[in-house]
Amino acid sequence: DKSEPITSRGMDIFGNLLTFNSTLNKETGARYLFDNTRANGVHTFHAQRMPEFSFLLLNALLGFTGFEVTTSSSFFYDPAAVSAHVNAGKVYDYYKRVFNRDSLDNNGMKLISTVHVGEKWNNAGWNGKQMIYGDGDGQLMISTSGGMDVIGHEMTHGVITHTADLIYEGESGALNESLADIMGSFIENKTGDDLWLLGEDIYTPNIPGDGLRDMKDPGSVPLSGYTETGYYPDHYNDRYLGEKDNGGVHINSSINNKAAHLITEGGTHYGVTVNGIGKQKAEKIFYRTLTHYLTASSNFSDMRQAAVQAARDLYPDRNGEPSVEVQAVMAAYDAVGVH
Ligand SMILES: CCCCC[C@H](S)C(=O)N[C@@H](Cc1ccccc1)C(=O)N[C@@H](C)C(=O)O
Ligand SMILES: [Ca+2]
Ligand SMILES: [Zn+2]
C-alpha cells in the first residue's frame, strides 16, 4: 500500500501550532488529513465554500464529502481544517475514555468532517452521516470548527443518531439539541461559568464573553437569532410553541440545558433548591439516559423519567431513600417545571 501514517503540523484558527496524525502518499509525497490511528479513521475534507445547499445535495445524492485537504510539505495551511481534524480526534478520545464508546456508532465508524461548507455560513451541522462546518461571516461567527463545544455538539448528534435517534422537531428535537449542547460543553470542559456557554470561542468575535446559548442562565440570551422577541426559556411553562426552528429545537433545548446545569452545579431556581452532584456524575447520567432509555419520540416528561431511572441505576436508593444523585435529578426537573 502506498500510504503510510505520518505526523504533520499546522495552525488552528486561533494560531496555535499543532501536531497531529495524517497520511502520506509515498509515491506522490502528498499528505492528507486522514488520521488512521483512531477507529476506521478521522478524515477531514473541504468543500471549497460551495453553497451549503449544493454541498448537501451532492452529499445526499452521491455521498460527496468534499475535496481532500492536502499539502506537499509537512505543514497544512488550512486552519479551519486543522481545527476540525484535531478537535474531532479529541471528541473521539473523550467518548472512548469516559464511556468506552468506539466512535459515534460504538463500532469504530469513520469520522468524516467537511469544512468551508457554504458561503460565510454561520452554522455547523450533522447531516445524519458526517459533520459539516461553515466559515461564518466574520461578524456573527468565525470558522465554526474552532469551537470545541461546536464539534462536540455535532458529533454527539452522531451518537444520538446511533442510539435514541430523537426526532428532530418539537420536544424530542429539543432534547436532541440539548443533549448535543450538554455533551459538547462537558467535552470542551471549561471552568466556572464558561462551562455553560455555547459557541463562545467562535461567536461574535467583536463581543467578548457572550455565547449563542447559556445553559446556566438561558434567559440572558435574546431569541433575536430566530426572529423572535424575548429570551430563551428556563422553565417549561415558558416553552416556545411556534413553528420556527423546527418547533423550537434550539429554543426549548435551554429548558433541559438548565436542568443539566442544576443537576451539575446545584442552585435555587423558581424557589426550588437543587444540590449539585458534579460533572463526572452528571455526564454518566445523561449518557446512560440517552443510550438506555430515550427513544425517537421521547418528550420532556419522558426525559425526566428516563434521567431519574438512569440515575437510580447508577446511584441506587439507600435504606429505601433515593440517593442524593436521584434527588438532584428530581429536584432539577421540578425546578424547570417538567414532571
Ligand atoms: C445542517 C443545518 C444545521 C442544523 C442545526 C445544527 S445540528 C446545530 O444545531 N448547529 C449548532 C451550531 C453550534 C453548536 C454549538 C455552539 C454554537 C453553534 C447551532 O446551535 N446552530 C444554530 C445557530 C441553529 O442552527 O439555529
Ligand atoms: Ca462553550
Ligand atoms: Zn445541533
Side-chain angles (χ1 to χ4, degrees):
D1 181 14
K2 59 182 184 302
S3 63
E4 82 176 12
I6 193 166
T7 55
S8 298
R9 296 190 310 159
M11 276 194 185
D12 68 9
I13 71 160
F14 302 111
N16 301 308
L17 184 60
L18 305 175
T19 301
F20 44 82
N21 299 315
S22 59
T23 293
L24 169 71
N25 177 322
K26 285 184 286 192
E27 284 174 5
T28 65
R31 296 184 188 210
Y32 300 85
L33 281 182
F34 296 163
D35 169 4
N36 292 325
T37 69
R38 292 179 169 98
N40 284 309
V42 176
H43 290 189
T44 305
F45 298 86
H46 76 87
Q48 221 168 318
R49 296 176 178 77
M50 291 162 71
E52 71 263 19
F53 170 73
S54 43
F55 172 81
L56 289 170
L57 192 67
L58 284 176
N59 182 267
L61 294 180
L62 307 175
F64 173 68
T65 55
F67 304 94
E68 291 157 344
V69 179
T70 66
T71 179
S72 57
S73 73
S74 64
F75 200 89
F76 281 87
Y77 291 94
D78 183 341
V82 168
S83 287
H85 192 64
V86 173
N87 287 338
K90 288 180 180 170
V91 175
Y92 173 83
D93 293 347
Y94 169 88
Y95 272 107
K96 192 74 177 75
R97 180 181 74 251
V98 180
F99 304 115
N100 192 29
R101 186 180 187 88
D102 180 14
S103 196
L104 308 181
D105 62 350
N106 199 20
N107 195 26
M109 73 178 265
K110 187 188 291 186
L111 295 166
I112 298 173
S113 309
T114 305
V115 296
H116 304 311
V117 171
E119 287 158 314
K120 301 181 190 284
W121 189 37
N122 287 314
N123 217 341
W126 165 260
N127 71 355
K129 292 192 179 69
Q130 67 161 97
M131 296 75 79
I132 56 178
Y133 300 100
D135 293 325
D137 60 10
Q139 296 300 321
L140 185 69
M141 293 187 193
I142 57 177
S143 296
T144 55
S145 62
M148 189 67 206
D149 53 3
V150 176
I151 295 195
H153 175 112
E154 302 313 341
M155 291 178 69
T156 297
H157 279 308
V159 173
I160 293 168
T161 296
H162 292 283
T163 52
D165 200 13
L166 287 153
I167 298 162
Y168 199 70
E169 62 177 13
E171 291 196 11
S172 55
L175 293 173
N176 194 326
E177 274 300 308
S178 174
L179 288 162
D181 278 354
I182 293 164
M183 302 311 290
S185 296
F186 284 177
I187 291 164
E188 184 174 61
N189 197 26
K190 285 190 177 176
T191 56
D193 287 354
D194 285 354
L195 173 61
W196 304 109
L197 282 179
L198 268 301
E200 69 282 0
D201 288 350
I202 53 95
Y203 186 64
T204 61
N206 304 318
I207 304 168
D210 66 336
L212 185 64
R213 292 181 289 279
D214 183 338
M215 301 173 65
K216 176 168 185 171
D217 186 6
S220 68
V221 183
L223 284 174
S224 43
Y226 300 103
T227 61
E228 284 287 330
T229 55
Y231 296 83
Y232 282 84
D234 59 7
H235 193 281
Y236 191 69
N237 294 348
D238 299 327
R239 68 194 180 282
Y240 173 73
L241 296 168
E243 301 295 303
K244 290 179 188 165
D245 184 33
N246 288 98
V249 298
H250 292 92
I251 299 171
N252 293 328
S253 64
S254 59
I255 297 163
N256 196 64
N257 286 354
K258 179 60 185 172
H261 165 256
L262 288 168
I263 289 167
T264 307
E265 273 192 347
T268 300
H269 189 59
Y270 293 105
V272 179
T273 296
V274 185
N275 298 315
I277 59 176
K279 182 171 125 29
Q280 278 63 35
K281 291 179 175 177
E283 69 193 350
K284 285 185 179 50
I285 291 170
F286 282 109
Y287 183 75
R288 184 171 181 82
T289 302
L290 172 61
T291 54
H292 283 70
Y293 294 109
L294 292 179
T295 65
S297 57
S298 293
N299 61 28
F300 276 47
S301 178
D302 298 329
M303 174 70 197
R304 176 205 171 103
Q305 293 165 50
V308 167
Q309 187 55 56
R312 183 161 266 140
D313 297 344
L314 292 164
Y315 310 105
D317 291 5
R318 305 154 64 95
N319 322 316
E321 289 295 310
S323 60
V324 294
E325 294 82 0
V326 169
Q327 287 178 45
V329 174
M330 290 174 169
Y333 282 101
D334 286 346
V336 297
V338 174
H339 302 286

